[in-house]
Amino acid sequence: MAEMLEASCMLKTATNKSFIIMDELGRGTSTNEGFGLASAIAEYIAQEIGCYCLFATHFHEMTAMEKELPNVKNLFVRADAEGDKLTMLYKVEEGVIDRSYGIHVAQMLKFPEEVLAEAKALANQLEN
């Protein structure tokens, strides 16, 4: 609820001189609802408000917006993954990241092996 209240306030009060930061908008919603809200909000900011906006999201489908809207640019933070090791390089680059690192982070944080194995299996099932 707090996240939606903040988003509502930003959409109602931002001007073309504002700088909006949205981080993983859509938590607490279904995947489809979250994607719908995140996409519609990003599009509204780009088309109606026209201000600078840093919009962090896990919805890879939203990267297509760069092709549809001339004032949208995709950026990502470079990471290096070798086997089960993940190194965050803290380098921002243009383009779209080619994968997600959630399971790598879970491994670094020493999640139980059973949880990691199940997460990998479910992720592979959904991707294929």
Side-chain angles (χ1 to χ4, degrees):
M1 181 71 156
E3 184 180 72
M4 293 298 214
L5 182 61
E6 290 170 354
S8 175
C9 182
M10 285 183 227
L11 295 174
K12 291 175 187 173
T13 62
T15 70
N16 63 345
K17 296 185 186 308
S18 298
F19 177 51
I20 296 175
I21 300 173
M22 293 269 184
D23 182 26
E24 294 295 346
L25 186 68
R27 282 176 281 194
T29 64
S30 71
T31 301
N32 293 341
E33 235 182 21
F35 171 71
L37 283 165
S39 283
I41 289 169
E43 196 170 300
Y44 183 84
I45 292 168
Q47 292 182 315
E48 302 299 324
I49 299 172
C51 66
Y52 283 102
C53 177
L54 177 60
F55 202 105
T57 184
H58 63 279
F59 295 117
H60 296 277
E61 301 86 352
M62 287 181 63
T63 60
M65 207 174 286
E66 182 180 54
K67 294 176 184 151
E68 300 162 5
L69 300 171
N71 58 337
V72 172
K73 190 80 164 162
N74 289 318
L75 303 171
F76 69 97
V77 178
R78 173 66 63 197
D80 186 26
E82 286 188 36
D84 292 342
K85 185 178 179 192
L86 177 67
T87 305
M88 303 304 283
L89 302 177
Y90 301 102
K91 181 178 178 189
V92 177
E93 295 185 7
E94 290 187 11
V96 178
I97 198 159
D98 60 349
R99 61 187 290 194
S100 179
Y101 296 105
I103 292 176
H104 278 88
V105 172
Q107 288 172 317
M108 290 170 56
L109 296 173
K110 308 278 189 243
F111 277 37
E113 279 303 318
E114 308 85 75
V115 172
L116 293 170
E118 182 69 8
K120 288 177 186 176
L122 290 170
N124 285 336
Q125 188 178 43
L126 291 171
E127 289 174 3
N128 298 319

